[in-house]
Amino acid sequence: MTHSTINNTQQFNTTQRIPTQCSAELLHPAIFRTEPLKVLVYDGSATYSNIPAEMVWSETKIQIEPARYAQETEPAQYEEVQATIEVERMRSELYATPPQYQKIVREIFIKPDYKHWKLGCLASSNASCLETIKAELVKIPTEVIKEPAQIHQRTIPAKTLKIKRKKLIKPGKGSGSILPARYTTIKLIRVSKPWKIISSLVPAQYETITVQRKLRDAKILTMPIACTSTLTPEQIRRIQQALLQAGHRLNLSGVLDTATIVALHAFQKANQLAIGGLSLETLRKLGLT
């Protein structure tokens, strides 16, 4: 290769390169990963079922008047009394009360706040291109336990029945047949099968939502960039051509318009480059320096 050819090649490469003689603060954006998250919507708990005692009835006879002679020569003497008969014994039982729930609304963050570069804004402009996007959250209605299921003890008092009966104080005298004693029939109740409590577990219920987990925080970096005020229409067309070849639809207008800036930012985001200006790393990625 001759000296003249070398000079021509060097001149060609120099004119093809886009210089980065300015500098600016650019945004190296945060990186997020989409993940599923299980959130509680119904609190699980232990619960109990009451199986009451089984009772059976029986009958018994209580004498209310003694036997006596049909023909009394000397009447028997009686005292009328009121008798208390226990028809059901006192007993203790355990019983359960169900859990008490309350409805609340929980706020779940699905994406934390982050720095964002405004759409169509170049680092060379006087206006601030950075903005903070507020965290995103969703409201999840949830039923939580206010009071758990509990087991209590209670006493069931005895049941009684009052009856009037004649109590013999002094037997009578007489002859002939004897009149039989008189009875009344009462019903007694007793436990045939004791109570019991059956425990079980009501499982918790969940709902799956999608969250954005931050893997890397955003950074503000001072980087060399191309001076947009000195870019020629030909240089801008070369930038547009490189973005077009990278899959971004553009007109080769030679003007650094909003469409070109939006495509530039999309390219930087897709390649995890600092966003905001024509940085040296971006131009290298586009093959322009």
Side-chain angles (χ1 to χ4, degrees):
M1 183 181 291
T2 65
H3 180 71
S4 174
T5 303
I6 293 174
N7 287 340
N8 289 338
T9 302
Q10 290 175 344
Q11 183 178 4
F12 174 79
N13 291 337
T14 301
T15 57
Q16 289 296 309
R17 288 199 301 267
I18 297 177
T20 53
Q21 297 174 337
C22 294
S23 66
E25 288 186 342
L26 306 182
L27 175 67
H28 208 238
I31 295 179
F32 296 91
R33 182 173 65 200
T34 301
E35 296 179 353
L37 177 66
K38 287 176 65 176
V39 294
L40 182 73
V41 294
Y42 185 86
D43 215 352
S45 69
T47 188
Y48 306 98
S49 300
N50 295 310
I51 308 297
E54 294 183 11
M55 315 298 287
V56 293
W57 292 90
S58 62
E59 292 184 346
T60 188
K61 292 183 177 182
I62 302 295
Q63 187 186 82
I64 59 174
E65 186 176 337
R68 59 184 175 86
Y69 287 105
Q71 301 293 327
E72 289 184 321
T73 57
E74 185 178 331
Q77 294 181 15
Y78 302 97
E79 178 187 2
E80 193 171 87
V81 297
Q82 183 170 270
T84 301
I85 308 299
E86 186 179 73
V87 296
E88 184 177 347
R89 290 182 178 179
M90 181 184 72
R91 66 182 188 275
S92 292
E93 286 187 352
L94 296 182
Y95 71 98
T97 53
Q100 302 296 314
Y101 282 83
Q102 63 178 350
K103 291 184 179 181
I104 62 171
V105 176
R106 294 188 300 148
E107 293 183 342
I108 307 292
F109 284 96
I110 58 174
K111 190 174 185 179
D113 57 6
Y114 62 97
K115 298 290 186 182
H116 175 73
W117 197 272
K118 292 180 182 177
L119 188 67
C121 187
L122 267 181
S124 59
S125 62
N126 294 326
S128 174
C129 291
L130 275 176
E131 60 182 354
T132 299
I133 304 299
K134 292 183 178 180
E136 299 177 35
L137 55 85
V138 292
K139 294 183 177 181
I140 305 293
T142 308
E143 290 191 58
V144 297
I145 295 175
K146 182 180 180 182
E147 195 173 302
Q150 298 181 34
I151 296 178
H152 312 269
Q153 185 175 11
R154 64 184 170 194
T155 299
I156 300 175
K159 293 182 180 179
T160 58
L161 179 67
K162 295 184 181 297
I163 60 173
K164 290 181 179 181
R165 55 188 295 266
K166 289 182 177 181
K167 180 180 179 182
L168 182 64
I169 302 298
K170 183 180 179 182
K173 295 179 180 180
S175 61
S177 61
I178 295 178
L179 296 176
R182 290 173 56 210
Y183 293 85
T184 185
T185 300
I186 61 172
K187 289 185 176 181
L188 304 178
I189 186 170
R190 63 180 180 85
V191 176
S192 66
K193 192 174 183 180
W195 54 266
K196 63 180 177 179
I197 292 178
I198 299 175
S199 63
S200 59
L201 181 65
V202 177
Q205 297 176 23
Y206 295 87
E207 180 180 311
T208 301
I209 62 174
T210 300
V211 299
Q212 298 288 319
R213 189 79 64 196
K214 186 185 287 186
L215 302 180
R216 185 187 72 189
D217 286 328
K219 294 181 181 179
I220 306 299
L221 304 174
T222 301
M223 305 181 73
I225 64 169
C227 304
T228 55
S229 59
T230 59
L231 287 175
T232 66
E234 178 57 30
Q235 289 174 325
I236 294 173
R237 270 191 290 272
R238 288 179 50 227
I239 293 169
Q240 291 171 332
Q241 179 66 42
L243 289 170
L244 187 64
Q245 291 175 347
H248 301 276
R249 298 181 64 180
L250 281 174
N251 293 322
L252 304 181
S253 62
V255 177
L256 198 59
D257 53 14
T258 300
T260 303
I261 297 170
V262 170
L264 173 67
H265 291 173
F267 175 81
Q268 290 170 330
K269 183 177 181 181
N271 289 276
Q272 297 186 15
L273 305 172
I275 297 175
L278 287 163
S279 62
L280 179 59
E281 66 173 5
T282 299
L283 293 172
R284 282 174 178 166
K285 193 73 175 178
L286 289 169
L288 298 175
T289 185

